Amino acid sequence: MAAGQDQKATEILTTLKRRMFADKRQNDFIALMDGVGDKHPHSQTILEFWASIHSELNRESQYFEVLIKTLRCVSHIGKRKKGGGIP
């Protein structure tokens, strides 16, 4: 996903989050985010948003799982920028 698309996706997800949380559908939103995050494991913006949702809802184990994915993504991006490969 391109950087501009990441930003737009996050804006849409933020709006959806507000609506679903207002309707007391946090678990449904988490399930949706789990799918989105799994489909976009190389999008730092999406992964950070996903982690923030788990943090906000005090879901520590899920937060740390997503945080690890985020750190892997950041590492991957950094290595690509330096011209290195990923093992």
Side-chain angles (χ1 to χ4, degrees):
M1 200 179 284
Q5 290 177 325
D6 283 352
Q7 185 62 35
K8 184 65 176 171
T10 302
E11 290 171 13
I12 292 168
L13 289 167
T14 299
T15 300
L16 186 58
K17 174 191 161 217
R18 281 190 215 120
R19 290 179 183 173
M20 291 182 81
F21 277 38
D23 291 340
K24 306 292 186 208
R25 297 179 54 208
Q26 291 90 339
N27 290 334
D28 292 337
F29 186 74
I30 285 291
L32 178 129
M33 277 308 305
D34 288 347
V36 171
D38 287 338
K39 287 180 184 175
H40 301 284
H42 302 294
S43 169
Q44 182 179 347
T45 305
I46 296 294
L47 293 172
E48 288 173 352
F49 181 80
W50 187 19
S52 74
I53 299 301
H54 285 299
S55 177
E56 182 179 339
L57 295 174
N58 296 316
R59 296 178 179 209
E60 288 85 8
S61 64
Q62 294 95 339
Y63 169 75
F64 287 113
E65 288 176 22
V66 177
L67 186 61
I68 289 168
K69 291 178 183 185
T70 304
L71 293 173
R72 285 183 184 147
C73 174
V74 170
S75 173
H76 178 75
I77 291 169
K79 287 181 181 180
R80 278 194 319 187
K81 286 183 180 177
K82 290 181 183 177
I86 299 295

